[in-house]
């Protein structure tokens, strides 16, 4: 059982930056691909970014490409999401997730473990 704990959310003005962190309890963290998803009020949870086990491959939703960067530090069992150029449309609860299964990185159902989420609010 992998426990994931997100942190780093908050309130920021449009154009600002935040860095989210997700700490994993599992010592075999490096064997998991990791993803970030978000869910705005009244909307479905959507894919934001993902990174493979080594960090060599990253994937982004079109809406965040060029503004967000996913990275990981396997020595610290942590994955990060650097968010720059934030827009009010980025307001949501952000979740990190872990998976070992292969397949589309944007597919929610392939992720086995989820964190509790952290709120990001971008004011205009």
């Amino acid at each position: 059982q992998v426990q994931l704990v997100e942190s780093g959310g908050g309130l920021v003005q449009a154009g600002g930056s935040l860095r989210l962190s997700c700490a994993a309890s599992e010592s075999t963290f490096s064997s998991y691909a990791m993803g970030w998803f978000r869910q705005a009020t009244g909307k479905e949870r959507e894919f934001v970014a993902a990174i493979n086990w080594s960090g060599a491959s990253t994937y982004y939703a079109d809406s965040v490409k060029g503004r967000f960067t996913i990275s990981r530090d396997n020595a610290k069992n942590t994955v990060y999401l650097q968010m720059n150029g934030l827009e009010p449309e980025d307001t949501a609860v952000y979740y990190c997730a872990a998976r070992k299964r292969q397949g589309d990185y944007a597919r929610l159902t392939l992720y086995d473990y989820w964190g509790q989420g952290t709120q990001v609010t971008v004011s205009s």
Side-chain angles (χ1 to χ4, degrees):
Q1 185 78 10
V2 179
Q3 294 184 335
L4 303 171
V5 179
E6 301 97 334
S7 61
L11 174 64
V12 63
Q13 288 188 332
S17 298
L18 282 174
R19 187 195 196 202
L20 305 184
S21 299
C22 173
S25 62
E26 180 61 45
S27 61
T28 59
F29 171 77
S30 61
S31 66
Y32 290 86
M34 300 297 295
W36 284 98
F37 293 78
R38 66 187 182 187
Q39 187 166 18
T41 302
K43 295 188 177 181
E44 294 187 350
R45 194 169 298 188
E46 64 176 6
F47 171 73
V48 175
I51 189 166
N52 77 330
W53 67 274
S54 68
S57 298
T58 57
Y59 310 86
Y60 297 94
D62 288 343
S63 59
V64 306
K65 207 170 289 184
R67 299 188 298 124
F68 291 10
T69 302
I70 188 171
S71 61
R72 67 189 297 160
D73 185 339
N74 287 341
K76 295 183 178 180
N77 290 355
T78 302
V79 62
Y80 305 97
L81 185 68
Q82 177 67 44
M83 305 186 294
N84 299 329
L86 283 162
E87 303 167 352
E89 293 73 23
D90 295 317
T91 295
V93 177
Y94 283 71
Y95 299 89
C96 71
R99 59 184 273 182
K100 283 189 174 182
R101 285 179 281 181
Q102 298 298 312
D104 182 2
Y105 279 94
R107 192 169 161 193
L108 277 72
T109 55
L110 294 181
Y111 289 81
D112 300 303
Y113 304 102
W114 292 82
Q116 82 290 346
T118 185
Q119 177 70 46
V120 172
T121 303
V122 185
S123 63
S124 57

